[in-house]
């Protein structure tokens, strides 16, 4: 469990890059996930840093459990560099203070991304990220930055590769790219992370 406040904030910022988002006008921090352990982890992290701020529990349009925190949380995470609004429609550079942070800060940020965004299998781990086709350079830059952070803690990551293109119903073209973590010796290094997702933790311990 992370104890350093900067590492906990890095974890929360990471969740905004993952299954969370900050409302573009009201600045609520919203986190949507079906895994109870992750909902509890996010709530605990918010309480550790912000105290007993207002939080409401509900469900997304698709019926997935949803936590909504006071805009006090969203505004502060935004100030720290967390993306606001749609991540598909805007660049999402990793905040410089995280890139230059301690190993615990890097672990906080990367742990939340693995919890939210990575698919873990027996022989590899991968993350797929989508953006509008017009943001392909920003998408590649984000994945290269992510690769660098993993390598800072000794985990090798592939170069970004194009995954697929699709057309949304409103005519917008969306592209996705992936990076992979492969090799048993390399996958075992994921044990350095502070994973909250029970099934993903189990898979990492099996490497």
């Amino acid at each position: 469990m992370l104890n350093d406040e900067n590492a906990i904030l890095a974890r929360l910022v990471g969740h905004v890059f993952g299954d969370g988002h900050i409302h573009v006008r009201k600045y609520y921090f919203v986190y949507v996930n079906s895994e109870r352990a992750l909902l509890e982890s996010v709530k605990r992290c918010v309480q550790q840093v912000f105290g007993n701020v207002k939080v409401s529990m509900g469900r997304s349009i698709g019926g997935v459990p949803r936590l909504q925190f006071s805009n006090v949380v969203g505004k502060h995470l935004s100030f720290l560099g967390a993306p606001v609004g749609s991540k598909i429609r805007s660049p999402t550079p990793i905040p410089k203070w995280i890139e230059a942070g301690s190993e615990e800060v890097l672990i906080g940020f990367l742990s939340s991304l693995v919890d939210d965004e990575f698919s873990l299998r027996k022989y590899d781990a991968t993350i797929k990220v989508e953006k509008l086709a017009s943001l392909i350079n920003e998408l590649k830059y984000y994945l290269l930055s992510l690769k660098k952070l993993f390598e800072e803690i000794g985990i090798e990551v592939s170069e970004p590769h194009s995954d697929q293109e699709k057309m949304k119903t409103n005519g917008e073209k969306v592209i996705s790219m992936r990076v992979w973590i492969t090799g048993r010796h390399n996958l075992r290094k994921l044990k350095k992370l502070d994973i909250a997702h029970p099934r993903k933790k189990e898979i990492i311990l099996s490497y």
Side-chain angles (χ1 to χ4, degrees):
M1 182 179 293
L2 301 172
N3 295 309
D4 178 73
E5 184 171 303
N6 285 334
I8 296 169
L9 283 167
R11 184 178 199 122
L12 289 172
V13 169
H15 279 304
V16 183
F17 279 79
D19 287 333
H21 72 271
I22 297 172
H23 193 280
V24 72
R25 292 187 304 277
K26 298 181 180 179
Y27 280 87
Y28 297 132
F29 168 46
V30 177
Y31 183 71
V32 181
N33 201 292
S34 59
E35 177 52 60
R36 181 178 176 182
L38 289 183
L39 295 169
E40 291 175 350
S41 174
V42 170
K43 189 174 181 179
R44 183 170 58 250
C45 286
V46 168
Q47 289 174 339
Q48 283 179 278
V49 177
F50 298 95
N52 292 318
V53 296
K54 184 178 179 181
V55 55
S56 60
M57 181 76 177
R59 290 189 177 271
S60 69
I61 294 173
V64 181
R66 174 183 185 272
L67 291 174
Q68 179 174 300
F69 297 92
S70 159
N71 64 4
V72 169
V73 180
K75 285 179 178 178
H76 191 68
L77 296 180
S78 169
F79 174 76
L80 292 175
V84 176
S86 171
K87 296 185 284 284
I88 289 180
R89 292 180 170 82
S90 59
T92 50
I94 296 171
K96 296 297 182 186
W97 69 271
I98 291 178
E99 292 184 329
S102 66
E103 181 169 287
E104 193 170 12
V105 164
L106 298 184
I107 285 172
F109 182 77
L110 295 173
S111 296
S112 56
L113 282 176
V114 172
D115 271 332
D116 287 356
E117 297 294 287
F118 270 75
S119 297
L120 303 182
R121 299 183 296 186
K122 188 174 181 180
Y123 298 110
D124 64 23
T126 183
I127 179 173
K128 180 176 81 169
V129 183
E130 293 184 337
K131 286 198 183 296
L132 294 181
S134 59
L135 295 171
I136 184 170
N137 290 334
E138 287 81 359
L139 172 56
K140 187 172 182 180
Y141 178 78
Y142 169 63
L143 288 173
L144 286 171
S145 299
L146 200 57
K147 169 182 167 68
K148 183 179 178 182
L149 293 193
F150 273 106
E151 291 173 350
E152 287 282 337
I153 62 169
I155 299 172
E156 296 175 14
V157 175
S158 74
E159 294 293 322
H161 292 277
S162 296
D163 187 70
Q164 59 180 320
E165 297 181 0
K166 60 185 179 183
M167 197 69 71
K168 295 170 70 70
T169 54
N170 63 2
E172 292 179 325
K173 185 178 179 182
V174 174
I175 59 169
S176 60
M177 299 184 79
R178 288 181 184 268
V179 292
W180 283 268
I181 299 171
T182 58
R184 186 58 62 94
H185 71 289
N186 199 34
L187 289 165
R188 285 175 180 154
K189 295 176 184 177
L190 289 171
K191 294 174 185 177
K192 292 182 179 182
L193 302 180
D194 184 39
I195 300 302
H197 192 295
R199 178 57 183 152
K200 291 182 180 181
K201 184 185 292 186
E202 184 181 320
I203 293 171
I204 288 171
L205 290 174
S206 74
Y207 287 145

